[in-house]
PDB file of all heavy atoms in Angstrom:
ATOM      1  N   LEU A 110    -121.169 275.974 138.453  1.00  0.00           N
ATOM      2  CA  LEU A 110    -120.158 274.922 138.513  1.00  0.00           C
ATOM      3  C   LEU A 110    -120.687 273.711 139.283  1.00  0.00           C
ATOM      4  O   LEU A 110    -121.641 273.817 140.054  1.00  0.00           O
ATOM      5  CB  LEU A 110    -118.886 275.457 139.177  1.00  0.00           C
ATOM      6  CG  LEU A 110    -118.159 276.532 138.370  1.00  0.00           C
ATOM      7  CD1 LEU A 110    -117.057 277.170 139.190  1.00  0.00           C
ATOM      8  CD2 LEU A 110    -117.571 275.941 137.096  1.00  0.00           C
ATOM      9  N   ARG A 118    -113.041 275.133 144.997  1.00  0.00           N
ATOM     10  CA  ARG A 118    -113.029 276.593 145.140  1.00  0.00           C
ATOM     11  C   ARG A 118    -113.139 277.010 146.603  1.00  0.00           C
ATOM     12  O   ARG A 118    -112.342 277.795 147.110  1.00  0.00           O
ATOM     13  CB  ARG A 118    -114.216 277.204 144.378  1.00  0.00           C
ATOM     14  CG  ARG A 118    -113.950 277.477 142.923  1.00  0.00           C
ATOM     15  CD  ARG A 118    -115.247 277.867 142.229  1.00  0.00           C
ATOM     16  NE  ARG A 118    -115.654 279.231 142.516  1.00  0.00           N
ATOM     17  CZ  ARG A 118    -115.539 280.243 141.657  1.00  0.00           C
ATOM     18  NH1 ARG A 118    -115.004 280.049 140.477  1.00  0.00           N
ATOM     19  NH2 ARG A 118    -115.955 281.440 141.974  1.00  0.00           N
TER      20      ARG A 118
ATOM     21  N   ILE B  19    -105.642 282.656 140.739  1.00  0.00           N
ATOM     22  CA  ILE B  19    -105.441 281.947 139.473  1.00  0.00           C
ATOM     23  C   ILE B  19    -106.561 280.935 139.248  1.00  0.00           C
ATOM     24  O   ILE B  19    -107.207 280.916 138.199  1.00  0.00           O
ATOM     25  CB  ILE B  19    -104.060 281.243 139.450  1.00  0.00           C
ATOM     26  CG1 ILE B  19    -102.938 282.290 139.474  1.00  0.00           C
ATOM     27  CG2 ILE B  19    -103.924 280.350 138.224  1.00  0.00           C
ATOM     28  CD1 ILE B  19    -101.545 281.707 139.616  1.00  0.00           C
ATOM     29  N   HIS B  20    -106.822 280.117 140.271  1.00  0.00           N
ATOM     30  CA  HIS B  20    -107.861 279.099 140.112  1.00  0.00           C
ATOM     31  C   HIS B  20    -109.234 279.744 139.905  1.00  0.00           C
ATOM     32  O   HIS B  20    -110.021 279.296 139.066  1.00  0.00           O
ATOM     33  CB  HIS B  20    -107.891 278.192 141.342  1.00  0.00           C
ATOM     34  CG  HIS B  20    -108.931 277.117 141.270  1.00  0.00           C
ATOM     35  ND1 HIS B  20    -108.745 275.966 140.554  1.00  0.00           N
ATOM     36  CD2 HIS B  20    -110.185 277.028 141.778  1.00  0.00           C
ATOM     37  CE1 HIS B  20    -109.828 275.216 140.634  1.00  0.00           C
ATOM     38  NE2 HIS B  20    -110.716 275.843 141.378  1.00  0.00           N
ATOM     39  N   PHE B  21    -109.514 280.811 140.653  1.00  0.00           N
ATOM     40  CA  PHE B  21    -110.825 281.450 140.528  1.00  0.00           C
ATOM     41  C   PHE B  21    -111.006 282.101 139.153  1.00  0.00           C
ATOM     42  O   PHE B  21    -112.096 282.065 138.594  1.00  0.00           O
ATOM     43  CB  PHE B  21    -111.045 282.477 141.653  1.00  0.00           C
ATOM     44  CG  PHE B  21    -111.656 281.871 142.871  1.00  0.00           C
ATOM     45  CD1 PHE B  21    -110.967 280.904 143.591  1.00  0.00           C
ATOM     46  CD2 PHE B  21    -112.925 282.223 143.278  1.00  0.00           C
ATOM     47  CE1 PHE B  21    -111.534 280.311 144.703  1.00  0.00           C
ATOM     48  CE2 PHE B  21    -113.507 281.641 144.397  1.00  0.00           C
ATOM     49  CZ  PHE B  21    -112.812 280.686 145.108  1.00  0.00           C
ATOM     50  N   ALA B  22    -109.933 282.701 138.620  1.00  0.00           N
ATOM     51  CA  ALA B  22    -110.045 283.335 137.304  1.00  0.00           C
ATOM     52  C   ALA B  22    -110.393 282.290 136.256  1.00  0.00           C
ATOM     53  O   ALA B  22    -111.268 282.501 135.402  1.00  0.00           O
ATOM     54  CB  ALA B  22    -108.741 284.041 136.954  1.00  0.00           C
ATOM     55  N   ILE B  23    -109.736 281.139 136.327  1.00  0.00           N
ATOM     56  CA  ILE B  23    -109.996 280.101 135.328  1.00  0.00           C
ATOM     57  C   ILE B  23    -111.379 279.493 135.536  1.00  0.00           C
ATOM     58  O   ILE B  23    -112.145 279.315 134.577  1.00  0.00           O
ATOM     59  CB  ILE B  23    -108.898 279.011 135.400  1.00  0.00           C
ATOM     60  CG1 ILE B  23    -107.551 279.622 134.970  1.00  0.00           C
ATOM     61  CG2 ILE B  23    -109.234 277.825 134.516  1.00  0.00           C
ATOM     62  CD1 ILE B  23    -106.366 278.734 135.208  1.00  0.00           C
ATOM     63  N   SER B  24    -111.729 279.222 136.779  1.00  0.00           N
ATOM     64  CA  SER B  24    -113.011 278.545 136.979  1.00  0.00           C
ATOM     65  C   SER B  24    -114.190 279.508 136.785  1.00  0.00           C
ATOM     66  O   SER B  24    -115.265 279.082 136.380  1.00  0.00           O
ATOM     67  CB  SER B  24    -113.043 277.798 138.309  1.00  0.00           C
ATOM     68  OG  SER B  24    -113.603 278.545 139.333  1.00  0.00           O
ATOM     69  N   ASP B  25    -113.981 280.815 136.996  1.00  0.00           N
ATOM     70  CA  ASP B  25    -115.027 281.803 136.651  1.00  0.00           C
ATOM     71  C   ASP B  25    -115.319 281.752 135.156  1.00  0.00           C
ATOM     72  O   ASP B  25    -116.479 281.818 134.729  1.00  0.00           O
ATOM     73  CB  ASP B  25    -114.564 283.228 136.990  1.00  0.00           C
ATOM     74  CG  ASP B  25    -114.670 283.530 138.478  1.00  0.00           C
ATOM     75  OD1 ASP B  25    -115.283 282.732 139.201  1.00  0.00           O
ATOM     76  OD2 ASP B  25    -114.131 284.570 138.909  1.00  0.00           O
ATOM     77  N   THR B  26    -114.251 281.669 134.362  1.00  0.00           N
ATOM     78  CA  THR B  26    -114.429 281.636 132.912  1.00  0.00           C
ATOM     79  C   THR B  26    -115.156 280.353 132.507  1.00  0.00           C
ATOM     80  O   THR B  26    -116.057 280.384 131.667  1.00  0.00           O
ATOM     81  CB  THR B  26    -113.055 281.690 132.208  1.00  0.00           C
ATOM     82  OG1 THR B  26    -112.304 282.770 132.762  1.00  0.00           O
ATOM     83  CG2 THR B  26    -113.202 281.893 130.719  1.00  0.00           C
ATOM     84  N   LYS B  27    -114.763 279.241 133.139  1.00  0.00           N
ATOM     85  CA  LYS B  27    -115.447 277.970 132.849  1.00  0.00           C
ATOM     86  C   LYS B  27    -116.932 278.093 133.168  1.00  0.00           C
ATOM     87  O   LYS B  27    -117.793 277.660 132.406  1.00  0.00           O
ATOM     88  CB  LYS B  27    -114.839 276.845 133.696  1.00  0.00           C
ATOM     89  CG  LYS B  27    -113.829 276.010 132.955  1.00  0.00           C
ATOM     90  CD  LYS B  27    -113.694 274.627 133.587  1.00  0.00           C
ATOM     91  CE  LYS B  27    -112.829 274.628 134.820  1.00  0.00           C
ATOM     92  NZ  LYS B  27    -112.642 273.309 135.418  1.00  0.00           N
ATOM     93  N   ALA B  28    -117.227 278.704 134.325  1.00  0.00           N
ATOM     94  CA  ALA B  28    -118.623 278.812 134.752  1.00  0.00           C
ATOM     95  C   ALA B  28    -119.429 279.639 133.767  1.00  0.00           C
ATOM     96  O   ALA B  28    -120.579 279.331 133.466  1.00  0.00           O
ATOM     97  CB  ALA B  28    -118.691 279.437 136.146  1.00  0.00           C
ATOM     98  N   ARG B  29    -118.807 280.690 133.237  1.00  0.00           N
ATOM     99  CA  ARG B  29    -119.532 281.600 132.359  1.00  0.00           C
ATOM    100  C   ARG B  29    -119.967 280.906 131.063  1.00  0.00           C
ATOM    101  O   ARG B  29    -121.031 281.177 130.526  1.00  0.00           O
ATOM    102  CB  ARG B  29    -118.632 282.794 132.042  1.00  0.00           C
ATOM    103  CG  ARG B  29    -119.394 283.930 131.419  1.00  0.00           C
ATOM    104  CD  ARG B  29    -118.499 285.124 131.188  1.00  0.00           C
ATOM    105  NE  ARG B  29    -118.817 285.720 129.913  1.00  0.00           N
ATOM    106  CZ  ARG B  29    -117.988 286.467 129.225  1.00  0.00           C
ATOM    107  NH1 ARG B  29    -116.774 286.702 129.679  1.00  0.00           N
ATOM    108  NH2 ARG B  29    -118.358 286.986 128.091  1.00  0.00           N
TER     109      ARG B  29
END
Side-chain angles (χ1 to χ4, degrees):
Chain A
L110 293 170
R118 274 171 77 105
Chain B
I19 295 173
H20 180 80
F21 271 64
I23 294 171
S24 94
D25 282 349
T26 310
K27 261 203 281 182
R29 194 177 140 203

